[in-house]
Amino acid sequence: MKNRPELLTKLSGAGAPQGTGGTPPAAAPAAGTIKPLPEDALILIPLRNAVLFPGVLSPITVGRASSVTAAQEAVKNEARVGFLLQHDPQKTDVEPADLHWVGTAGAIVRYITGTEGGHHLVVQGESRFRVLEFLDGWPFLVGRVALVEQPHAEGPGIEARFLQLKEQAIEAIGLLPHVPDELADVVRGIDSPAGLADMVANFMDVKSEEKQDILEIFDLEHRLDKVIGLLSARVEVLKLSREIGEKTRAQFDERQREHVLREQLRQIQKELGESDDTAAEVEELKKAMDTAGMPEDILKHGQKELKRLQRMGEGGSEYSMLRTYLEWLTELPWKPAPQQPIDIDAARRVLDEDHFGLDKIKRRILEYLAVRKLNPEGKSPILCFAGPPGVGKTSLGQSIARATGRAFQRVALGGVHDEAEIRGHRRTYIGALPGNIIQAMRRAGTTNTVMMLDEIDKVGAGGFHGDPASALLEVLDPEQNHKFRDNYLGVDFDLSRVMFICTANVLDTIPGPLRDRMEVIQLPGYTQEEKIQIARRYLVKRQLDSNGLKPEQASLSDAALAAIVADYTREAGVRNLEREIGSVLRHAAMRVAEGKAQQVTVDTPDLASILGARRFENELALRTSTPGVATGLAWTPVGGDILFIEAAKVPGNGKLILTGQLGDVMKESAQAAVTLAKTWTGDSLDKLDIHVHVPAGATPKDGPSAGVAMFLALVSLLTGKPVRSDVAMTGEVSLRGLVLPIGGVKEKTLAALRAGIRVVMLPRRNEKDLEDVPAEAREKLQFVWLDRVEDAVRCAIGDIAPAGERAAA
Ligand SMILES: Nc1ncnc2c1ncn2[C@@H]1O[C@H](COP(=O)(O)OP(=O)(O)OP(=O)(O)O)[C@@H](O)[C@H]1O
Ligand SMILES: [Mg+2]
């Protein structure tokens, strides 16, 4: 403000514009009423809504008669005009009080009368002025004024503000949508801070009142601050609005972009001939889903996933994962298949067709089916076939499926110790799949399925990877299995209509809760006669077939078959038997193929050259021909077996050496047998070491039931008399010489029969188990019931009295 007073100069003073100070034109209009203005006066035109700034060229429209006259008078006299903003834009007849007293004087450079009678001026603003007083006597406003000189202010304060304003102005121009870029160049070229401030003030879209405020600030620094302040506010607003504009554009662009990309993708796929595939794939899945008969909530879930697939667009790994999932979902048998009523007679025929013998077992199966027939929705127990390998457990399951018109699926559980193998992995795992139950259901394609859970006794114990047994429990439990949840599927699947059958070699290793849900059917194994029948009726036929032979081209004599059963196999089931028959028939096939024979009949003498030396009966006679060897009978998970117990003596000091992978119980039983033998023979054995060995490979053996056999081997050793080779025995001994009962009579008896034994010695207290022994074995074997060890000695070695009796005698 300090220099304001000097800025004010009388118009009559220095710098008076040219033309204004001149004498009024002599030729005044005819009216002659307009008198010349005093030297320091200006014609004034009021403006309703605009502010003229010095240095700015600006269009101004005038409408009021007084203003038109004023403009014309100015043009005529080439006089300058002062423009003043009125306070109230609405007011037409303005008094001095209605006006701002500071304005800009300028020259009218153009005067245009429009076609419709409007008057337009183009005015070049020149300098600020202040009205000193209004003068009367003219048909327009006239006032004595003082011009405000533009100061040539300099200094760092001005310079800094000048640069800042310039920068801001250029930025603002950049933000304004419809401003030509050249304007920025113009701004850059301005070298006067005052000129820049006025120009910016002129262009700024602020209210006229605000522009007037700027006009009235004579101090340059102050004015620059004001303009900078206003402009920066405008720039913020401009920036904001641009940002908003960009955002909305961005949203629009994103949709647009996706659409364009999809369109391009479609075109590319069309070019590659793929477009139909993808669409068809989704369409196919959709159709499959609609017809799969899923429960409502699962269908909804599936449809949601399908929509996700559709949106995803082909190609990504996630796409193919989701597609695989949807394929699993749609291909499962959701619809309960109508169950064929069970025809018991037909079922019996099928079972008889597929399997020889097994009468008791077939009867149990038919009973089971009858119950199911009467009460199809009822919770029938789960059948479990238990027995040694090759006795027909799996094939019986297949027969049941055939007999009831169901699909058959086998799920191998041997060695499964990860719960996920049964229940699947979550979909989030790479390469996740459903567990083997759901996999089997998809393979079956119908709820009308017999699902065989094979080797359920070999399921690994639960541990780090969860407990497979508990998952199986859920599968088998009728209370739970209508809502079986596989981790991969992630939805419940109803297993309640599936007929589950389990198989096992042994029952001990099946977890209790699982075993509780099963109805166990034991398959103990076959007698030799049964095996011959099975071979005759099934195995030979099958092997002929698989070796490409017609029945008339090759055959096996009855004697040969019996010899294979007796001398070349020693098993509860018939798997090895079938293998040996296969070998024999392959040999026959060779001869037929070579043209050496039209028809081959294999007889007993041929077997040695085809299958090698007899494997089993030899052993029995050979082994037991020397004293110190007894034939025991053992029970193993693969059926009964015979067991040779060998005893030897060497000079020593009464040690007992035990070898042959014996378990603790068997070792103790051996010690008991030695003690008993000492007392029985009266030999203290203190000059000898006794060695008891139980051969037969590396199989671990345990249990007390070899006690009698060990005792007999020792007695035989010590008396030098061999044990009869056609006698086999089993039974626990007490130190007092009592023979105690054992288990597995049926299996052991069958094993004895297979091995060519004629006499079986069993504990007396096992006599009740004889009814379990197959009739054929009962007929062919002689049973000796043991109360005490001397009964066994008498029968197997001969009439030797115990030491005490001998002494007494
Ligand atoms: N009674 C029988 N009549 C006809 N064939 C039989 C009989 N028993 C078993 N077989 C046949 O013996 C073969 C072996 O049977 P299967 O595979 O069912 O044995 P498994 O008991 O399941 O043995 P594993 O415990 O080793 O699985 C099959 O080909 C089966 O048809
Ligand atoms: Mg099997």
Side-chain angles (χ1 to χ4, degrees), residues 668-736:
E668 283 168 12
S669 148
Q671 270 152 358
V674 170
T675 308
L676 187 60
K678 275 190 216 169
T679 47
W680 206 84
T681 55
D683 189 337
S684 68
L685 303 179
D686 49 8
K687 301 262 160 33
L688 297 171
D689 284 346
I690 298 290
H691 185 172
V692 175
H693 179 64
V694 186
T699 27
K701 310 158 193 80
D702 204 359
S705 71
V708 175
M710 287 188 189
F711 171 77
L712 280 192
L714 289 167
V715 170
S716 161
L717 176 75
L718 297 176
T719 57
K721 295 188 176 176
V723 179
R724 267 171 65 181
S725 65
D726 61 347
V727 176
M729 66 225 64
T730 178
E732 188 179 347
V733 289
S734 80
L735 286 180
R736 293 217 211 106

Side-chain angles (χ1 to χ4, degrees), residues 81-97:
V81 181
F83 294 90
L84 292 172
L85 179 69
Q86 56 187 70
H87 290 295
D88 179 2
Q90 307 301 325
K91 209 152 186 184
T92 304
D93 293 323
V94 288
E95 309 267 316

Side-chain angles (χ1 to χ4, degrees), residues 392-592:
K393 300 183 296 295
T394 304
S395 72
L396 268 176
Q398 282 167 323
S399 274
I400 291 176
R402 196 160 85 86
T404 54
R406 285 167 166 260
F408 180 80
Q409 282 300 324
R410 181 174 161 270
V411 172
L413 294 176
V416 166
H417 45 236
D418 188 343
E419 189 178 348
E421 286 183 61
I422 290 161
R423 216 194 267 284
H425 277 294
R426 285 186 192 291
R427 253 203 290 162
T428 42
Y429 279 84
I430 305 279
L433 276 181
N436 45 20
I437 301 290
I438 290 295
Q439 293 197 19
M441 284 319 292
R442 180 182 174 180
R443 283 197 304 271
T446 168
T447 55
N448 228 353
T449 295
V450 170
M451 192 182 293
M452 173 154 277
L453 303 177
D454 228 354
E455 310 203 319
I456 200 160
D457 56 327
K458 300 201 180 50
V459 169
F464 180 65
H465 292 295
D467 186 2
S470 73
L472 278 177
L473 201 59
E474 206 181 309
V475 171
L476 294 179
D477 187 351
E479 302 293 337
Q480 298 181 55
N481 70 8
H482 63 283
K483 273 175 160 233
F484 175 70
R485 185 165 281 237
D486 182 279
N487 288 326
Y488 178 82
L489 280 194
V491 293
D492 292 340
F493 189 83
D494 186 355
L495 291 172
S496 63
R497 289 172 164 259
V498 175
M499 190 188 283
F500 289 102
I501 297 176
C502 305
T503 78
N505 289 140
V506 286
L507 294 172
D508 317 350
T509 57
I510 305 176
L514 264 181
R515 205 167 65 190
D516 283 351
R517 286 181 174 66
M518 299 174 182
E519 185 177 332
V520 176
I521 298 182
Q522 296 269 8
L523 286 90
Y526 300 109
T527 62
Q528 296 201 359
E529 195 45 52
E530 282 172 330
K531 285 184 184 178
I532 292 168
Q533 291 295 337
I534 293 170
R536 217 0 106 235
R537 290 166 204 233
Y538 302 92
L539 309 182
V540 173
K541 275 201 195 95
R542 219 158 38 207
Q543 286 304 318
L544 279 172
D545 235 23
S546 61
N547 288 303
L549 288 165
K550 293 195 186 74
E552 58 272 18
Q553 287 175 314
S555 62
L556 272 154
S557 72
D558 283 349
L561 215 46
I564 295 174
V565 168
D567 301 343
Y568 290 92
T569 65
R570 196 171 82 193
E571 57 175 350
V574 293
R575 196 167 278 138
N576 289 330
L577 174 61
E578 183 163 359
R579 202 172 300 140
E580 299 298 343
I581 291 171
S583 299
V584 170
L585 290 180
R586 262 194 302 286
H587 179 85
M590 266 294 266
R591 296 191 54 194
V592 173

Side-chain angles (χ1 to χ4, degrees), residues 144-336:
R144 283 180 51 238
V145 303
L147 292 179
V148 182
E149 291 228 349
Q150 196 49 259
H152 272 281
E154 273 170 31
I158 300 288
E159 190 65 17
R161 288 173 174 79
F162 176 48
L163 288 176
Q164 190 187 351
L165 182 58
K166 218 180 221 186
E167 228 166 71
Q168 265 186 3
I170 293 168
E171 185 179 7
I173 289 164
L175 289 168
L176 289 166
H178 303 298
V179 172
D181 289 346
E182 295 85 71
L183 193 60
D185 295 335
V186 173
V187 169
R188 256 178 226 115
I190 293 174
D191 54 5
S192 144
L196 180 65
D198 287 342
M199 176 172 145
V200 170
N202 174 65
F203 278 114
M204 235 172 347
D205 59 336
V206 292
K207 285 196 202 96
S208 299
E209 285 297 327
E210 207 127 26
K211 288 188 179 184
Q212 181 67 33
D213 285 350
I214 296 169
L215 192 70
E216 287 183 13
I217 301 172
F218 299 153
D219 178 62
L220 187 54
E221 211 173 290
H222 188 191
R223 195 192 306 159
L224 281 166
D225 281 344
K226 171 88 178 172
V227 175
I228 287 169
L230 280 175
L231 185 59
S232 62
R234 294 308 300 161
V235 166
E236 282 312 305
V237 171
L238 284 171
K239 270 193 195 158
L240 208 65
S241 74
R242 160 167 290 198
E243 222 169 84
I244 292 167
E246 271 169 2
K247 254 188 211 152
T248 47
R249 192 161 351 106
Q251 281 172 4
F252 178 73
D253 284 356
E254 190 53 39
R255 280 201 303 273
Q256 192 75 359
R257 209 174 83 89
E258 193 180 321
H259 177 77
V260 171
L261 287 176
R262 286 219 170 286
E263 197 50 36
Q264 285 175 344
L265 184 71
R266 230 169 51 82
Q267 290 302 332
I268 291 168
Q269 285 175 333
K270 216 186 214 169
E271 290 291 318
L272 296 174
E274 282 175 359
S275 69
D276 293 349
D277 289 5
T278 323
E281 208 164 64
V282 171
E283 193 49 40
E284 216 169 273
L285 279 169
K286 189 170 149 36
K287 221 182 280 168
M289 199 174 287
D290 290 341
T291 54
M294 299 174 184
E296 192 107 348
D297 51 330
I298 294 169
L299 181 64
K300 261 193 205 135
H301 160 78
Q303 283 167 340
K304 222 173 80 195
E305 294 292 78
L306 189 64
K307 277 219 187 81
R308 214 154 68 77
L309 182 80
Q310 220 165 357
R311 276 201 305 272
M312 218 175 258
E314 202 193 3
S317 64
E318 211 185 327
Y319 177 90
S320 67
M321 267 161 68
L322 186 53
R323 191 194 50 206
T324 310
Y325 173 74
L326 286 167
E327 278 168 7
W328 274 103
L329 205 62
T330 49
E331 282 175 27
L332 283 175
W334 296 99
K335 255 188 294 223

